[in-house]
Amino acid sequence: MIWNALLLSLREIRRNLTRSFLTVLGIMIGVSAVITMVTLGNGATRAVQDQIASLGSNLIILRPGQRLGPGGGVGAPNFKLADAQAIESQVSGVEAVAPSIARSATIVRMARNWTSSVTGSTNAFFATGNWTLAEGRYFNDTEERAGRAVCVIGETVRRELFGAQSPIGGDMRIKQFSCEVIGLLASKGQSTFGMDQDDVIVMPLRTVQRRLTGSQDVNSIRISVQEGVSVDRAMAAVQQLMRERRKIGANEDNNFNLMDTRQIAETLTGTTRVLTMLLGAVAAVSLIVGGIGIMNIMLVSVTERTREIGIRLAIGALERDVLLQFLIEAVTLACLGGIIGIVLATVASYQLAQMMQVPFLFDARINVVSFLFSAAIGVVFGYFPARRAARLDPIEALRHE
Amino acid sequence: MTDTAPLIELRQVAKVYGAGMAAVHALREVDLRIDQGDFVAVMGPSGSGKSTAMNILGCLDAPTSGSYCFRGVRVEHLTRDQRALLRRHYLGFVFQGFNLLARTSALENVELPLLYRGLHASARRAAARAALASVGLSGWESHAPAELSGGQQQRVAIARALVTRPAVLLADEPTGNLDTARSREIMELLRALQSERGITIIMVTHEADMAAYARRIVRFLDGRVASDTLNGTLAA
């Protein structure tokens, strides 16, 4: 019986192709919107996770101010080099501590110029950031101590300023001073949401403090923890030490914040997840609107086919035969819409993922869930018109013009 | 006549539409027996109750009072779905307006009643082809109703009614929309079905010419059976 009803509904859909297409349009758009949003959202989340994973799993970042983000550091004093040294000597299990300060600057080489962030730090910066050298060398002791004008640059900076040439030994002009390139970092490759990790220039801390910021301040300290040592315990020890050094009373809040990469990942992926859910929910509303479209057309269809229903009842169709026929027709339409929607979504989210430079992650679960949801919409919104059809009086229905 | 149980027996059947002052008595105390294999023409002016009687005979409607016995089953006690099953297994309908499904081939139209019997596709197709052949429409299987003449459409409708091998064929003015020549063809076909296959035929008609093909003529007037006569002018 169900097989027959399916056959009948397919016949009916084929008989009215244009109308069937218009009927499923809403479901199609709804399903493809939901899947596209969720797929892209998942891709964005993955991109953020990958970027953070490239920082290393055992990294702690210490910044002034109570929270991360703009305005979070207002009023809170910066750190000093001595703070970093204290952490290195007093906290056990620490592998490397990199005090750093960054300034945005325009770098000129011959006819080319490039605006980037110039970071002043120590060789520990490379260890804590999981960087490796592609060419050249890191800073030596003399350069660090004396604050020489030397720098290690990232792949993007090399490409913008040196083109195809090797940058090692080359000179770049930063503000009023000239700086020699001694090393080129291996590319990390990821570039998402306009954050290019390879767009980096690193100089000795003292060089930046003297020539760019003009102060002894350090505005972030990166601490990498030894393998096998608890990151939580190291964080607690750093926090204790910093509260002492910054003379914070027992009842006062920290005027600095500590985050490990796991927390940063959670914060950022949390944001993208909320956005994904929000967009998915909006798309789901359009799916329900699509269901109302199906109900409308099915009601029209029942009225239009009243005589047909009368014939079926006269030749011996039971109420439930007619109910099943119209219900299955609605569900078949909804499912067809769902399938077309899935195909559209796969194409659209693949293209959009390329455009947005996020990975394309095919999520089987959201595809299955959307499909089942569209089938359920077919049942819910198809039931009312189907019941109306089934309850028609055969004599009245046969007289219907 | 004989003492065997009749196929159809109406006893004191009444049908009232509405209630109170507005009540319309469509049928009043109708008694009617129809035996297996009979060919009955039902005549009468409009409003005489013949359509109501046909609806009740066709189990599309239930009487308000009285009893309707079909093959020993008391139809007035059946539910809507039970009456549908009775129609499915024993009754075939032919309508004045043909009532074929538009944009659906003749073969699919004829297959329709078999869908509700759970027959396999190949069995359905074979039975539908045979039914179309029996009304002289071999070779027209794939034509939609719009591509067929009125007479051919009515033949398709008759094939659809016959495909389930019903005991009774109920025809409601089957020639009402056809010209005289086509009408005669349809009537010849019905008479052949009755005489060769023993199908009981009950036919409503306005035209005496058409009623002349029947063995027996029942005339309705004001909701009652006014006359019930054997047809003397039955053509050889």
Side-chain angles (χ1 to χ4, degrees), chain B residues 144-196:
Chain B
E147 299 161 0
L148 299 171
S149 71
Q152 286 173 320
Q153 288 187 51
Q154 193 60 298
R155 282 161 187 269
V156 174
I158 292 171
R160 181 180 65 191
L162 289 177
V163 77
T164 57
R165 307 191 169 278
V168 181
L169 185 71
L170 290 135
D172 192 355
E173 304 211 31
T175 59
N177 287 6
L178 300 176
D179 63 37
T180 318
R182 272 348 108 211
S183 296
R184 290 194 182 286
E185 282 173 25
I186 294 295
M187 293 317 297
E188 293 290 350
L189 178 62
L190 290 181
R191 194 163 64 188
L193 290 172
Q194 183 248 347
S195 59
E196 287 163 22

Side-chain angles (χ1 to χ4, degrees), chain A residues 6 9-10 13 20-32 287-288 290-295 297-298 326-342 367 369-383:
Chain A
L6 188 68
S9 63
L10 285 176
I13 288 164
S20 302
F21 175 75
L22 290 174
T23 311
V24 303
L25 201 60
I27 293 277
M28 237 167 71
I29 291 172
V31 166
S32 60
L287 192 50
I288 289 172
I292 295 171
I294 285 202
M295 182 161 74
I297 299 287
M298 290 305 292
F326 278 84
L327 200 54
I328 286 187
E329 198 172 312
V331 174
T332 309
L333 279 172
C335 288
L336 280 178
I339 291 170
I340 301 174
I342 285 174
N367 280 279
V369 165
S370 305
F371 180 74
L372 293 180
F373 194 67
S374 62
I377 276 180
V379 174
V380 171
F381 290 100
Y383 182 76

Side-chain angles (χ1 to χ4, degrees), chain B residues 58-208:
Chain B
C59 301
L60 289 166
D61 209 350
T64 311
S65 66
S67 85
Y68 172 20
C69 221
F70 181 85
R71 291 172 65 111
V73 176
R74 298 283 291 268
V75 177
E76 72 271 18
H77 296 321
L78 301 181
T79 64
R80 196 181 131 123
D81 272 354
Q82 285 171 324
R83 279 189 275 127
L85 287 173
L86 208 63
R87 294 196 294 272
R88 182 187 293 187
H89 291 285
Y90 299 108
L91 302 177
F93 291 88
V94 175
F95 307 94
Q96 177 178 1
F98 318 138
N99 278 343
L100 299 174
L101 298 189
R103 282 165 291 166
T104 304
S105 74
L107 192 71
E108 283 175 343
N109 263 295
V110 176
E111 271 183 45
L112 195 63
L114 298 175
L115 282 176
Y116 297 109
R117 291 200 163 186
L119 252 69
H120 280 290
S122 53
R124 274 203 314 263
R125 204 137 299 169
R129 277 182 200 284
L132 277 173
S134 73
V135 297
L137 281 179
S138 289
W140 295 86
E141 286 89 349
S142 56
H143 289 69
E147 299 161 0
L148 299 171
S149 71
Q152 286 173 320
Q153 288 187 51
Q154 193 60 298
R155 282 161 187 269
V156 174
I158 292 171
R160 181 180 65 191
L162 289 177
V163 77
T164 57
R165 307 191 169 278
V168 181
L169 185 71
L170 290 135
D172 192 355
E173 304 211 31
T175 59
N177 287 6
L178 300 176
D179 63 37
T180 318
R182 272 348 108 211
S183 296
R184 290 194 182 286
E185 282 173 25
I186 294 295
M187 293 317 297
E188 293 290 350
L189 178 62
L190 290 181
R191 194 163 64 188
L193 290 172
Q194 183 248 347
S195 59
E196 287 163 22
R197 296 204 197 177
I199 294 174
T200 311
I201 296 176
I202 305 173
M203 172 186 77
V204 169
T205 185
H206 275 313
E207 300 158 83

Side-chain angles (χ1 to χ4, degrees), chain A residues 4 7-8 11 15-16 307-308 311-319 321 325 390-392 394-395 398, chain B residues 55 60-61 80-81 84-85 87-88 93 95 97 99 101-104 108 111-113 115-116 124 160:
Chain A
N4 274 336
L7 202 80
L8 278 176
R11 238 178 233 180
R15 229 166 63 170
N16 282 306
R307 259 171 105 85
E308 175 199 326
I311 298 165
R312 290 179 188 280
L313 289 169
I315 62 176
L318 302 182
E319 261 185 53
D321 294 328
Q325 182 194 337
R391 297 221 173 142
L392 284 174
I395 300 168
L398 280 169
Chain B
N55 288 338
L60 289 166
D61 209 350
R80 196 181 131 123
D81 272 354
L85 287 173
R87 294 196 294 272
R88 182 187 293 187
F93 291 88
F95 307 94
N99 278 343
L101 298 189
R103 282 165 291 166
T104 304
E108 283 175 343
E111 271 183 45
L112 195 63
L115 282 176
Y116 297 109
R124 274 203 314 263
R160 181 180 65 191

